[in-house]
Amino acid sequence: MKLNDVIVIIICIIAIAAVAIALVNKFALQRLRRKVTIDIVIGLAGAIVLSVSGTLVVLTYIPTHLNSQYQSSPQHYTATKPVGKALVIYQPAWTDITKNAADALAKSLNKKGYDVVVNYPGSFLSQDVSNYAVLVFGTPIYNSKGSPLVVNYLKGLKGLSGKKVILFTTGSTTPMSKDRVYDGIGNYLKDTTNLQRIKFSNKTDNNLLANDTVEKLCKKD
Ligand SMILES: Cc1cc2nc3c(=O)[nH]c(=O)nc-3n(C[C@H](O)[C@H](O)[C@H](O)COP(=O)(O)O)c2cc1C
């Protein structure tokens, strides 16, 4: 939710209250008018305080999850005849949208024959990724920002030369072009062979986007 949305909600609450007061003054019995008008004004003030404080809590508390380091929790998707290894690193935040996107990409890579490990970013991870052929990084976007944990891990990697990389964001309110989280990351990924940048939203068919992206990633194989 953006500040503009909150302003629109508050204007709507005020408009509804104004209409209610006008109706009361036109139709209610004389002796009830004052009492009902006071009740409406108190309700109006309460609704405004609740929407402003609720929005402040949502806007400040939820994005803190972008920077919470979780414990290592590797998930393995093994292939019977592996063509290579893939590493999927994502920051989970408030709901499961980013987790589901990461899982969809992991399953698509596994279907293509990769042994896949999925984990969170953190100091428990090795910075040497030379064992992997494919690297995937993902973060949700909150208030136009992504997870510094994912980006800092990416910036410290060694052995990136020749890798195929997928960078993804998740979110529903801004287009991918407005997500600046990976700005400047190209300098760190110069030696990679194939780089795909995608965004999952609540309207995305995760499996379709994941399969399509992995297909593009592997098309030179
Ligand atoms: C307070 C708040 C701010 C958000 N800001 C953005 C945003 O700037 N851009 C965007 O595309 N989505 C935004 N979203 C939507 C989230 O990015 C989306 O729900 C995200 O995919 C959730 O990931 P998670 O399930 O890993 O928490 C916002 C959601 C909330 C609650």
Side-chain angles (χ1 to χ4, degrees):
M1 186 173 309
K2 293 192 183 135
L3 193 62
N4 286 356
D5 301 330
V6 183
I7 292 169
V8 169
I9 291 171
I10 291 174
I11 289 172
C12 289
I13 295 171
I14 293 173
I16 292 168
V19 171
I21 290 171
L23 289 174
V24 166
N25 278 310
K26 196 163 164 56
F27 297 113
L29 295 173
Q30 182 74 35
R31 62 193 166 80
L32 281 178
R33 275 183 200 165
R34 199 176 137 76
K35 184 180 176 330
V36 177
T37 305
I38 290 172
D39 286 349
I40 292 173
V41 171
I42 291 172
L44 169 73
I48 291 175
V49 169
L50 277 179
S51 22
V52 170
S53 50
T55 307
L56 285 177
V57 168
V58 166
L59 288 179
T60 50
Y61 175 64
I62 294 181
T64 58
H65 287 253
L66 290 174
N67 215 3
S68 313
Q69 186 170 315
Y70 295 90
Q71 287 196 334
S72 177
S73 176
Q75 253 200 301
H76 297 267
Y77 295 79
T78 48
T80 35
K81 284 183 187 164
V83 295
K85 287 184 177 183
L87 178 67
V88 178
I89 298 299
Y90 77 97
Q91 176 69 6
W94 189 245
T95 58
D96 275 344
I97 296 172
T98 313
K99 177 190 184 311
N100 292 340
D103 286 344
L105 286 164
K107 283 178 188 151
S108 295
L109 286 163
N110 186 235
K111 268 198 286 179
K112 274 277 170 195
Y114 288 95
D115 266 345
V116 188
V117 184
V118 183
N119 208 343
Y120 307 137
S123 45
F124 46 79
L125 292 172
S126 165
Q127 304 253 307
D128 182 354
V129 289
S130 48
N131 278 340
Y132 297 97
V134 177
L135 301 163
V136 180
F137 304 95
T139 171
I141 300 294
Y142 284 100
N143 301 337
S144 302
K145 294 193 176 69
S147 168
L149 295 174
V150 172
V151 177
N152 290 340
Y153 173 64
L154 219 171
K155 286 180 176 171
L157 292 182
K158 293 177 189 75
L160 272 169
S161 177
K163 308 297 174 200
K164 295 168 189 225
V165 177
I166 299 173
L167 299 178
F168 77 88
T169 46
T170 68
S172 46
T173 58
T174 43
M176 191 168 82
S177 56
K178 292 266 162 67
D179 298 347
R180 318 309 302 262
V181 58
Y182 297 121
D183 277 10
I185 215 72
N187 290 332
Y188 298 85
L189 301 174
K190 277 201 281 270
D191 297 335
T192 55
T193 51
N194 190 330
L195 176 63
Q196 300 291 324
R197 171 72 178 92
I198 50 170
K199 181 164 188 173
F200 293 84
S201 80
N202 49 359
K203 295 197 181 92
T204 310
D205 179 329
N206 284 3
N207 293 332
L208 201 70
L209 180 58
N211 288 338
D212 188 47
T213 309
V214 168
E215 205 57 51
K216 284 184 193 149
L217 199 76
C218 298
K219 72 172 186 263
K220 284 184 196 154
D221 286 350

